[in-house]
Amino acid sequence: KGGVGACQTGYGTAGDMDSLHHSLHSCAIIHPWTPSCTRAALTTLREVLAHSLPLYVSVFGLPALTRLRLSSSTTMMRSLDSFARTDLLAVLRNSLQSSAFLSTHAGGYIALSCILSRLLAAFRRGRSSSSIRTISSSN
């Protein structure tokens, strides 16, 4: 059935009002490709890392290549050696750092959204049952 655990157990039937409520206000909107919150966060982290790393290598690598000056053969060898030691390591470090930040941000967004959705659903469910008890006890 739907409700708080619907992300892990499935989306319920079409006539189930809990699953309808779940799919409209919960993590099913954020990761419709899988009912598992953990799998969605980890898959997103992996996919964003795989797609962003080549992008950031080009973003940081092209300016480094433009700084490489090829004037004569002796200075070219010195320039290539210096490029390999300093600029190439900086390109790799900056690319990995930026890719890790972006992928962690994307995976963390999904994880945090699912956690907040579950907490709010549990709070909403607990609050509605306590307000019913309060109304029935006051009569």
Side-chain angles (χ1 to χ4, degrees):
K1 298 275 176 177
V4 176
C7 287
Q8 294 175 339
T9 60
Y11 291 101
T13 62
D16 186 7
M17 289 306 285
D18 265 350
S19 67
L20 177 64
H21 185 278
H22 169 78
S23 65
L24 293 176
H25 292 96
S26 190
C27 52
I29 294 172
I30 297 167
H31 54 84
W33 65 92
T34 181
S36 171
C37 296
T38 305
R39 181 174 291 138
L42 292 176
T43 301
T44 302
L45 189 123
R46 184 187 70 224
E47 291 295 319
V48 170
L49 184 65
H51 287 91
S52 65
L53 191 59
L55 175 76
Y56 280 118
V57 166
S58 64
V59 164
F60 291 112
L62 289 176
L65 284 175
T66 60
R67 288 191 299 268
L68 183 63
R69 296 208 173 124
L70 305 175
S71 56
S72 69
S73 62
T74 56
T75 56
M76 182 175 87
M77 294 308 282
R78 241 182 278 135
S79 199
L80 284 174
D81 187 42
S82 171
F83 175 77
R85 274 188 272 137
T86 58
D87 288 339
L88 191 59
L89 290 175
V91 165
L92 290 175
R93 183 180 56 84
N94 290 336
S95 298
L96 285 172
Q97 181 180 8
S98 296
S99 295
F101 171 78
L102 184 64
S103 59
T104 303
H105 183 74
Y109 168 76
I110 289 178
L112 184 63
S113 296
C114 289
I115 290 169
L116 286 176
S117 174
R118 289 178 184 194
L119 287 174
L120 290 175
F123 175 73
R124 192 173 38 238
R125 196 173 55 240
R127 185 174 179 189
S128 64
S129 64
S130 66
S131 62
I132 291 171
R133 279 181 281 184
T134 306
I135 292 170
S136 63
S137 65
S138 65
N139 289 335

